[in-house]
């Protein structure tokens, strides 16, 4: 099998890939181990220009080379904090209102992608298959192509692809889509994301796109596909049961004194709908006095990107809301919302999921949302909790056993909480089984293998002699 080169904004460390990290790191590492190869990307460090230019730093683990570079402060600001997280992230999550556009940051984004491509070129071999991940690296493939790299190159977008009317808000939208067309395979989380991309190709890029993902645009042919990222459900179940007896989980259980537990775990991000969730829980307590004192919401949300303004704001809002709601409904021995800002070991999170009666996963928009899947896989099959899930998470496409909610509908969310808390065992089991069928069908291995099979099998692109027909 040909070697695999994975390129992502952040590279997991060799120790993280051994199990303490999320499923993605483990899944990608599995593919790398099978075929041998390189995992290339940013180390997460901000360094001086001269240190950055010394990279990449190489670490070997069996047949896998971890190759990382540091970024100078200006590059970090423009590429990561700026265009990636203050422009692309909000717009791709339908939050134009939070997006800022700055030409210099965009120029920095493209410059860093070209610089990263130059750093990567020296690690490449002629037959390597290159798999690039996520919105930080959209122009990475184009930068390689402009240096004459003709290897098979695929791109997977972990976040939603917005409908064209939203994407048009980013001034260089056409350059971004043109960059995507330099890959041989472009993968999306859901059919809706793929359709939005096709829509742009046909209506705004004078291209063509067929239902089975054959795209021609900007003088290139490529394949698009839907590859639903998943988890390894048995591994999660094992982590959840391994943790069951551990002291802190027992302590939490004891401190609940028989109250029902609702679990929510997210990165602290405005796309995750945390404020709306807190308000819905408050509304539930207001309308259901019998539940006051009898149910606790545990929200675990470690801060991310805390040097981006909008992230500081969401943190303040959330602290304010948690304090306000707790002020209103706490008793001497009861706190309705326990809000924690730390990261937790995976086994601990999974066993907390298993102890809880509801997994409340209500993003305003999410590419997939692995927490929803982990919540289900962590349940006790004999007495499972209920997943309450936003219709705007990519996972909603598969998890038909969830109670589906619109996160903008406070009353609807409150009703779903009430319904989940009193759902009979037989219905809980049935819903759990429905979800588990899909978790098994689309596990992390299927995601990875189907993407790579398409990339390895795709007909290599030949430059088109003329623009495709059917232009508007
Ligand atoms: P994220 O936005 O990070 O991922 P998600 O899919 O839920 O969202 O993944 C988060 C991961 O981090 C989960 O595995 C979760 O268990 C873990 N995690 C969260 N909080 C934690 C904590 N406090 N301690 C330890 N671990 C924690 C992006 C996209 C998603 C897409 C994924 C994968 O935004 O839509 O599903 O990539 O493609």
């Amino acid at each position: 099998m040909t070697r695999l080169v994975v390129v992502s904004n952040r590279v997991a460390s060799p120790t993280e890939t051994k199990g303490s990290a999320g499923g993605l790191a483990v899944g990608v590492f599995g593919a790398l181990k099978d075929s041998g190869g390189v995992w290339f990307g940013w180390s997460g460090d901000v360094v001086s220009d001269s240190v950055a230019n010394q990279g990449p730093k190489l670490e070997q683990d069996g047949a896998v080379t971890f190759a990382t570079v540091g970024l100078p402060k200006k590059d970090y600001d423009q590429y990561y904090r700026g265009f990636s997280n203050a422009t692309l992230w909000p717009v791709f999550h339908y939050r134009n209102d939070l997006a800022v556009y700055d030409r210099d940051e965009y120029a920095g984004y493209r410059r860093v992608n070209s610089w990263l491509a130059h750093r990567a070129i020296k690690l490449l071999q002629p037959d390597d298959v290159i798999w690039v991940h996520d919105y930080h690296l959209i122009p990475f493939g184009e930068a390689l192509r402009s240096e004459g790299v003709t290897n098979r190159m695929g791109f997977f977008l972990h976040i939603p692809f917005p409908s064209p009317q939203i994407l048009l808000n980013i001034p260089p939208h056409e350059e971004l889509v043109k960059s995507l067309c330099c890959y041989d395979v472009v993968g999306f989380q859901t059919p809706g994301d793929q359709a939005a991309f096709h829509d742009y190709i046909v209506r705004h890029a004078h291209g063509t796109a067929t239902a089975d993902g054959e795209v021609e645009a900007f003088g290139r042919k490529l394949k698009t596909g839907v590859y639903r990222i998943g988890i390894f459900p048995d591994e999660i179940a094992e982590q959840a049961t391994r943790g069951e007896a551990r002291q802190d989980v027992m302590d939490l259980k004891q401190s609940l004194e028989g109250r029902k537990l609702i679990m929510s775990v997210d990165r602290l991000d405005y796309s995750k709908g945390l404020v709306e969730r807190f308000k819905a829980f408050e509304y539930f307590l207001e309308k259901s006095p019998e539940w006051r004192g009898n149910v606790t919401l545990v929200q675990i949300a470690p801060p991310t990107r805390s040097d981006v303004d909008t992230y500081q704001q969401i943190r303040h809002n959330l602290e304010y809301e948690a304090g306000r709601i707790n002020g209103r409904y706490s008793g001497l021995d009861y706190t309705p919302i326990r809000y924690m800002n730390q990261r937790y070991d995976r086994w601990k999170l999974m066993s907390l999921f298993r102890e809880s009666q509801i997994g409340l996963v209500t993003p305003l928009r999410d590419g997939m949302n692995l927490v929803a899947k982990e919540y289900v896989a962590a349940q006790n099959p004999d007495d499972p909790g209920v997943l309450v899930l936003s219709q705007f998470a990519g996972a909603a496409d598969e998890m038909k056993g969830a109670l589906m909610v619109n996160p903008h509908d406070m009353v609807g969310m409150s009703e779903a909480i009430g319904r989940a808390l009193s759902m009979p065992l037989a219905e809980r089991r049935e819903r759990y089984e429905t979800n588990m069928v899909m978790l098994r069908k689309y596990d992390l291995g299927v995601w990875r293998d189907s993407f790579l099979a398409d990339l390895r099998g795709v007909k290599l692109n030949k430059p088109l002699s003329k623009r495709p027909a059917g232009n508007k």
Side-chain angles (χ1 to χ4, degrees):
M1 201 194 304
T2 48
R3 248 176 35 138
L4 176 64
V5 174
V6 172
V7 184
S8 58
N9 175 57
R10 289 293 300 275
V11 176
S13 71
T15 11
E16 279 175 320
T17 55
K18 305 275 181 320
S20 66
L24 175 62
V26 177
V28 166
F29 185 61
L32 279 165
K33 265 197 310 196
D34 290 350
S35 51
V38 180
W39 192 343
F40 174 81
W42 178 36
S43 61
D45 297 328
V46 175
V47 299
S48 66
D49 285 342
S50 63
V51 171
N53 283 312
Q54 284 159 19
K57 177 179 157 211
L58 304 181
E59 275 178 274
Q60 200 65 32
D61 186 353
V64 183
T65 306
F66 292 79
T68 52
V69 287
L71 285 180
K73 175 81 169 66
K74 183 176 172 199
D75 288 353
Y76 167 82
D77 282 342
Q78 295 187 328
Y79 151 84
Y80 180 76
R81 196 168 67 83
F83 192 71
S84 293
N85 285 317
T87 309
L88 288 178
W89 178 273
V91 174
F92 278 43
H93 287 86
Y94 290 75
R95 292 302 301 270
N96 287 321
D97 58 318
L98 298 179
V100 287
Y101 175 69
D102 178 312
R103 279 185 180 212
D104 291 339
E105 287 178 351
Y106 178 59
Y109 172 77
R110 292 203 81 94
R111 184 187 67 244
V112 171
N113 267 275
S114 297
W115 180 80
L116 288 168
H118 274 107
R119 303 276 110 194
I121 278 178
K122 49 181 102 154
L123 304 167
L124 295 180
Q125 295 175 7
D127 286 336
D128 284 347
V129 167
I130 304 168
W131 188 8
V132 180
H133 291 260
D134 232 357
Y135 59 103
H136 316 84
L137 296 168
I138 290 172
F140 183 88
E142 187 176 20
L144 283 184
R145 294 269 183 246
S146 71
E147 293 300 314
V149 174
T150 54
N151 297 48
R152 289 173 187 277
M153 255 188 249
F155 178 88
F156 183 77
L157 184 67
H158 289 259
I159 64 176
F161 191 87
S163 75
Q165 285 311 313
I166 301 288
L167 184 61
L168 293 180
N169 285 286
I170 302 180
H173 52 87
E174 187 175 318
E175 289 178 20
L176 292 167
V177 175
K178 184 167 176 248
S179 294
L180 283 173
C181 290
C182 290
Y183 293 97
D184 299 302
V185 174
V186 175
F188 299 97
Q189 299 270 28
T190 68
D193 299 311
Q194 183 192 36
F197 180 73
H198 286 184
D199 201 13
Y200 184 98
I201 291 292
V202 173
R203 292 172 57 204
H204 301 281
H206 311 294
T208 58
T210 67
D212 56 358
E214 304 299 325
V215 168
E216 293 191 15
F218 300 108
R220 289 190 52 88
K221 289 184 183 186
L222 58 144
K223 177 182 165 36
T224 66
V226 175
Y227 310 90
R228 305 153 200 275
I229 195 165
I231 56 171
F232 288 123
D234 293 341
E235 222 165 73
I236 299 287
E238 193 269 326
Q239 286 172 348
T241 40
R242 187 160 28 119
E244 244 174 356
R246 306 256 187 131
Q247 198 53 48
D248 343 22
V249 178
M250 296 311 287
D251 288 349
L252 173 85
K253 215 170 152 182
Q254 219 161 27
S255 75
L256 289 173
E257 294 174 332
R259 292 183 186 102
K260 301 274 189 189
L261 172 61
I262 303 177
M263 282 296 303
S264 289
V265 173
D266 315 76
R267 280 185 307 99
L268 185 44
D269 192 296
Y270 48 82
S271 66
K272 303 290 183 185
L274 298 161
V275 172
E276 291 76 2
R277 184 182 305 159
F278 280 12
K279 287 187 174 162
F281 184 60
E282 176 187 26
Y283 185 81
F284 172 72
L285 292 177
E286 185 185 319
K287 296 293 171 195
S288 323
E290 71 281 12
W291 279 106
R292 286 181 214 155
N294 291 319
V295 58
T296 295
L297 168 63
V298 169
Q299 172 70 63
I300 298 179
T304 50
R305 307 170 193 165
S306 38
D307 52 355
V308 179
D309 286 351
T310 42
Y311 285 78
Q312 289 158 11
Q313 220 158 2
I314 169 86
R315 186 167 183 176
H316 290 144
N317 282 353
L318 212 55
E319 276 162 9
Y320 170 80
E321 287 300 334
R324 189 181 60 73
I325 297 164
N326 281 340
R328 190 170 168 198
Y329 288 114
S330 287
L332 283 178
D333 62 348
Y334 172 59
T335 311
I337 300 179
R338 296 197 197 173
Y339 170 44
M340 278 114 57
N341 280 144
Q342 300 99 289
R343 290 198 68 76
Y344 282 82
D345 289 338
R346 286 182 69 69
W347 68 263
K348 207 178 282 181
L349 285 182
M350 300 312 135
S351 47
L352 287 172
F353 286 164
R354 194 176 172 94
E355 291 302 328
S356 68
Q357 284 67 46
I358 298 182
L360 193 53
V361 185
T362 55
L364 304 180
R365 197 63 70 165
D366 218 327
M368 178 54 69
N369 196 300
L370 292 178
V371 170
K373 297 187 169 185
E374 291 164 350
Y375 179 80
V376 171
Q379 296 309 300
N380 175 355
D382 296 330
D383 185 17
V386 180
L387 175 65
V388 176
L389 180 62
S390 162
Q391 68 187 83
F392 301 121
D397 239 40
E398 297 154 66
M399 310 298 276
K400 300 298 180 200
L403 281 184
M404 225 54 89
V405 292
N406 181 327
H408 303 288
D409 177 9
M410 188 175 71
V411 178
M413 278 209 279
S414 150
E415 284 168 359
I417 292 172
R419 190 171 158 206
L421 281 172
S422 34
M423 189 178 285
L425 178 61
E427 184 180 347
R428 283 191 276 126
R429 276 190 177 158
E430 199 180 311
R431 287 175 176 275
Y432 164 81
E433 285 305 333
T434 305
N435 286 333
M436 284 305 290
V437 168
M438 295 306 272
L439 285 189
R440 295 219 156 85
K441 184 167 174 195
Y442 296 111
D443 76 4
L444 188 62
V446 169
W447 168 75
R448 172 186 82 196
D449 295 345
S450 56
F451 186 93
L452 287 174
D454 281 354
L455 183 54
R456 289 200 157 100
V458 74
K459 256 215 262 158
L460 274 191
N461 193 82
K462 288 200 191 85
L464 299 173
S465 49
K466 55 177 186 195
R467 276 189 157 183
N471 297 349
K472 282 191 187 158

